[in-house]
Amino acid sequence: MLNSFFLLMIRIKIQSFKIILSDILNKNSSNEKIVPEFYGFKNLITHKINDIKDEIDYSKSVLELYEISKNSLDDGIMFLDFDMNIVNFNNKLISLLDSSELSLSKNNKVTDITKNLDIIEFCTESVSKNQNEKIIELSFPTRYFNIKSKLINQYLLVVIKDVTDFISLDKTRKEFFANTSHELRTPITSMKLNIEALQNSKIKGNDSDYEFFLEKIKEDSNRLEKISKEIIDVHAIESGELIINFENIQISDLINELHKEFSTILDSKKIKFEYSIQKKFPKIKIDKSMFKTALENLISNAIRYSQKDSKIELKCIYDDENIYFNLRDFGIGISDKDLPHIFERFYRVDGLRSERHSGIGLSIVKQIVDVHNGNIAAESSINEGLLIKIKIPLR
């Protein structure tokens, strides 16, 4: 727009200059008229030349800055001409597109750097648009790119950003809320049905069902309490509001507390809880409340996925540098496909285990272990149980 206006002004000035010059040659005008017109024309040209020089200097500065910083950027960048020749690119683009290093030459086409038809098509159609943007999905493995373009003079600037983590997190969050809604709805529906059954039993004078339905309602309320506590814990973890209070404790006291806490449900399912603590076990400096929550989640999971007349084993040992907690159940186990992901937030495994949990508990356990500068690992096979191994450094 600015260049068109300037060209119009030049044309007007030239026409005016020609008219005055013609009048002078035909002796219809004096030389005095040409002087101000000439200087006006000269000033206009000089002003535009200075503007162009400023633009060139600015472009040089931007180009120098780009050349210095292009390989430090987190986004892939390339410049194309309108024939889809690659004029410039950075190293990040190579890694994003899993391409081999190119030697920049006039023969390089965009097809040399990627065979993805969506990216190629995006670049081709962007030549006719001032700006363009699109989310592109790649397969094997699945990745998502946010790709933007902008026309700059006679070139097309293309910027590619890997947004796989953001999209995956958004998906897992949506799945989490859908799963959590289902988790909440199940005990609530069960409680309503059991309350109705309890009321009907009372009306019919059938007192023998009273304790049965009351116990079912209690189980549902405990499940609701557990889910709500997990949601609160997730919020505390994500918001950084976890308050850590390290103290020296005797591990045997903590294990005895947990044994008493789970004794009723263990007896009802006829599951044995066997634990052993290495002799002369030292006091350990941990946040007792947080660590108890972690072990509660692990024991609760072990009970949930164990059959009647089964057992759960907990071994506490130590060496000169670390303490170790190994918790084993002999339940339904976890597949090789799911095992690497069980500590990921919101992850739910396939199969039988998917119907019995919200996908939060084990991620909370990992977070607590991380807070104690420890690490956690799992070993399992289908129908052969699950072994959780926690290592915490001695302080």
Side-chain angles (χ1 to χ4, degrees):
M1 187 75 178
L2 182 61
N3 288 335
S4 298
F5 177 74
F6 172 74
L7 290 174
L8 179 62
M9 290 294 296
I10 289 293
R11 289 193 187 101
I12 292 172
K13 286 291 185 183
I14 290 174
Q15 287 287 42
S16 176
F17 191 75
K18 285 170 67 179
I19 291 169
I20 294 170
L21 186 59
S22 177
D23 286 345
I24 291 172
L25 292 174
N26 294 325
K27 299 182 179 179
N28 294 328
S29 179
S30 66
N31 294 342
E32 294 177 358
K33 286 187 176 182
I34 198 171
V35 175
E37 195 65 33
F38 174 78
Y39 278 106
F41 182 64
K42 172 182 173 292
N43 290 337
L44 180 64
I45 295 296
T46 302
H47 180 71
K48 186 58 181 178
I49 289 172
N50 289 334
D51 285 346
I52 293 172
K53 286 176 64 179
D54 290 341
E55 288 182 11
I56 292 172
D57 290 341
Y58 175 75
S59 298
K60 285 182 178 179
S61 299
V62 172
L63 184 59
E64 289 174 1
L65 181 61
Y66 166 73
E67 287 294 339
I68 292 170
S69 61
K70 69 178 184 179
N71 291 323
S72 301
L73 301 175
D74 292 330
D75 300 336
I77 296 173
M78 64 176 166
F79 286 89
L80 304 172
D81 64 20
F82 291 170
D83 293 323
M84 294 296 104
N85 295 309
I86 300 174
V87 179
N88 208 324
F89 62 90
N90 67 349
N91 291 340
K92 185 64 177 181
L93 185 78
I94 299 295
S95 62
L96 282 178
L97 299 180
D98 297 325
S99 179
S100 59
E101 186 68 45
L102 293 179
S103 56
L104 195 60
S105 71
K106 292 182 180 180
N107 297 322
N108 290 145
K109 295 281 189 180
V110 69
T111 50
D112 294 327
I113 207 167
T114 179
K115 301 301 180 186
N116 185 277
L117 295 179
D118 290 330
I119 296 177
I120 296 169
E121 182 181 331
F122 175 87
C123 294
T124 303
E125 69 181 24
S126 296
V127 171
S128 59
K129 299 179 181 181
N130 183 43
Q131 294 186 74
N132 199 8
E133 183 173 0
K134 188 177 182 180
I135 297 291
I136 291 175
E137 180 179 353
L138 284 74
S139 304
F140 310 113
T142 299
R143 288 190 295 170
Y144 297 91
F145 288 162
N146 176 261
I147 180 168
K148 298 180 181 180
S149 71
K150 183 172 177 59
L151 292 177
I152 301 177
N153 296 326
Q154 301 302 309
Y155 298 105
L156 179 68
L157 169 63
V158 179
V159 179
I160 299 179
K161 184 180 187 66
D162 190 338
V163 292
T164 305
D165 290 343
F166 298 103
I167 291 179
S168 298
L169 181 60
D170 183 57
K171 284 185 176 181
T172 52
R173 283 179 186 275
K174 288 177 180 177
E175 290 174 1
F176 162 69
F177 286 116
N179 294 335
T180 303
S181 297
H182 174 74
E183 287 284 321
L184 292 170
R185 187 162 54 248
T186 301
I188 290 172
T189 302
S190 178
M191 286 177 70
K192 289 172 67 177
L193 292 173
N194 284 315
I195 289 171
E196 290 175 6
L198 189 63
Q199 290 172 333
N200 291 333
S201 296
K202 187 175 182 181
I203 292 172
K204 294 177 181 179
N206 190 356
D207 294 335
S208 61
D209 291 338
Y210 184 82
E211 290 296 331
F212 174 80
F213 289 119
L214 197 62
E215 184 61 31
K216 290 293 183 183
I217 293 169
K218 183 179 178 181
E219 288 177 5
D220 290 329
S221 66
N222 288 338
R223 186 176 178 185
L224 274 175
E225 183 181 22
K226 183 178 185 300
I227 294 170
S228 63
K229 184 178 183 301
E230 287 179 340
I231 293 172
I232 291 170
D233 288 342
V234 167
H235 173 72
I237 290 168
E238 290 195 333
S239 62
E241 295 177 359
L242 281 173
I243 299 174
I244 305 171
N245 180 29
F246 288 110
E247 57 182 315
N248 288 311
I249 70 160
Q250 192 69 50
I251 196 63
S252 58
D253 296 337
L254 178 57
I255 303 302
N256 286 329
E257 286 181 28
L258 290 167
H259 192 193
K260 290 178 182 178
E261 181 180 320
F262 285 100
S263 60
T264 301
I265 188 171
L266 286 166
D267 291 341
S268 67
K269 292 193 70 172
K270 297 181 180 180
I271 297 174
K272 292 182 180 180
F273 181 62
E274 299 178 355
Y275 62 92
S276 61
I277 302 173
Q278 186 175 334
K279 290 182 179 180
K280 298 181 180 180
F281 204 93
K283 284 189 173 183
I284 56 174
K285 193 171 186 179
I286 58 174
D287 183 303
K288 181 180 178 181
S289 176
M290 288 175 61
F291 208 78
K292 185 178 179 183
T293 296
L295 292 179
E296 282 174 341
N297 278 333
L298 293 177
I299 295 171
S300 178
N301 280 349
I303 294 172
R304 186 179 297 118
Y305 302 119
S306 294
Q307 304 297 326
K308 283 188 176 182
D309 299 317
S310 182
K311 69 176 179 177
I312 297 169
E313 297 176 347
L314 174 62
K315 294 182 179 179
C316 306
I317 58 177
Y318 69 94
D319 57 26
D320 292 339
E321 297 180 350
N322 303 290
I323 55 175
Y324 305 88
F325 299 89
N326 296 334
L327 183 74
R328 179 187 293 277
D329 68 59
F330 298 87
I332 61 179
I334 297 175
S335 69
D336 292 339
K337 177 176 76 73
D338 290 315
L339 191 61
H341 306 287
I342 63 172
F343 298 113
E344 294 175 10
R345 198 169 301 168
F346 314 131
Y347 186 83
R348 287 165 61 94
V349 302
D350 294 331
L352 292 173
R353 295 179 78 101
S354 65
E355 301 175 357
R356 308 188 196 180
H357 74 109
S358 59
I360 312 173
L362 288 179
S363 68
I364 293 172
V365 174
K366 185 180 185 307
Q367 182 74 21
I368 292 172
V369 172
D370 289 344
V371 166
H372 288 80
N373 296 319
N375 59 56
I376 186 168
E379 298 175 7
S380 182
S381 297
I382 293 294
N383 296 322
E384 293 186 11
L386 174 67
L387 171 62
I388 300 290
K389 303 168 76 173
I390 297 175
K391 180 175 73 174
I392 303 292
L394 282 168
R395 297 176 181 273

